Amino acid sequence: MSEVELARARLRWRARRGLLENDLILTRFLDQYEEQLSDEDVLSLTKLFQLDDNQLLEILLGKTEPQGEYYTDNICRLVQKIREA
């Protein structure tokens, strides 16, 4: 199994967070878009899910934007889709 296949298989598990708000937002997004995600999307989401719960929630709610290594075109595009889902 390749790295991307493994990341895709673990995506829902990694989307389960300590904060219920994150769980709800990410589950709603994955329910709507999971089948359409490219390999690059899966790797970007896996990277985004490395953030701690509070940082991730601030980004998902639009209170802050991804910064540093998380500020990529693909992550920013996915964050926007998550916010709209």
Side-chain angles (χ1 to χ4, degrees):
M1 187 175 276
S2 74
E3 176 186 353
V4 174
E5 291 169 332
L6 188 58
R8 187 177 292 274
R10 292 181 174 167
L11 200 57
R12 280 217 180 243
W13 179 78
R14 290 185 183 218
R16 301 246 352 173
R17 308 300 297 210
L19 290 176
L20 178 61
E21 294 87 346
N22 283 341
D23 281 353
L24 296 173
I25 293 167
L26 295 173
T27 298
R28 185 176 58 227
F29 169 77
L30 289 174
D31 286 348
Q32 190 170 357
Y33 293 107
E34 186 173 16
E35 296 297 320
Q36 302 167 25
L37 296 175
S38 69
D39 290 350
E40 182 183 1
D41 293 342
V42 170
L43 294 176
S44 293
L45 286 171
T46 299
K47 183 175 189 77
L48 186 65
F49 293 171
Q50 292 173 357
L51 290 168
D52 73 43
D53 285 336
N54 291 322
Q55 289 175 309
L56 182 59
L57 184 60
E58 294 285 312
I59 290 171
L60 298 180
L61 294 177
K63 293 182 179 181
T64 63
E65 296 298 323
Q67 297 177 11
E69 66 182 299
Y70 301 98
Y71 185 77
T72 67
D73 289 342
N74 204 48
I75 287 177
C76 290
R77 182 183 60 78
L78 288 166
V79 165
Q80 188 59 41
K81 285 185 87 153
I82 292 169
R83 289 174 181 167
E84 294 169 358

